Every structure is written in structure tokens, then in C-alpha cells.
Amino acid sequence: LMRATSRSINGEQAGVGAAIAAGVGSGVYADIPSACGRLVKFDETVYTPKAANVAVYDEMYEIYKQLYLDNRGSFAKLSSLDERTAQA
């Protein structure tokens, strides 16, 4: 992707995401970008990709995408097990 990134200092990413969605849904925030601007905080360190590693990054990303495709069936099976346990 070759873009600089920062790391969030929020400890619980899923909880922050839920708070963002709830805040927008309830009208506390006008939209997702506004909510993110208020709730998501970043570490001051900026991580910049090393140009010499771009080919490796690209290859890793292709492997990741293939892993996702290869495991879709397993994800569906796990989801159906979750549904069955929720009914018990």
C-alpha cells in the first residue's frame, strides 16, 4: 500500500468501533469520520514503509488474500456452530 501509518493507542479496538457505531446511530455524532475524530487517538510515531521491502509486502498481501479465500468455507462452518450454541 506504500503509505505512512500510525498506531491507535485505544486499548480495545472492537469496543471503540462499537462506540463509534452507537454514537452515529444515536445521533451523538453526525457521521463516522466525525466520531472517529473524537474517539480514535493515535500514537505519535508514524510508520513509513521501506521502499526496499515493497515487493515482499505485496507478496505477503497476495498470500493474505488467498488465505482468506481458502478459509471462507471454514469461517462459514464456525459461524454455523456459533448459531447452534446460541440456540442451546
Side-chain angles (χ1 to χ4, degrees):
L1 299 174
M2 282 305 296
R3 66 175 88 164
T5 60
S6 297
R7 184 172 48 191
S8 170
I9 61 172
N10 298 94
E12 177 53 53
Q13 303 303 320
V16 173
I20 289 168
V24 173
S26 65
V28 172
Y29 301 105
D31 51 33
I32 297 288
S34 300
C36 288
R38 293 292 306 268
L39 299 175
V40 177
K41 304 298 179 210
F42 294 98
D43 185 329
E44 293 180 15
T45 304
V46 175
Y47 300 90
T48 305
K50 296 178 181 173
N53 293 336
V54 171
V56 174
Y57 297 151
D58 290 343
E59 189 174 347
M60 291 171 81
Y61 184 57
E62 291 304 315
I63 292 169
Y64 166 80
K65 290 191 301 186
Q66 189 60 51
L67 282 169
Y68 176 79
L69 293 173
D70 292 346
N71 286 291
R72 281 190 305 186
S74 296
F75 295 148
K77 288 177 186 176
L78 286 171
S79 180
S80 72
L81 290 175
D82 285 344
E83 292 169 8
R84 286 179 29 208
T85 58
Q87 296 172 6

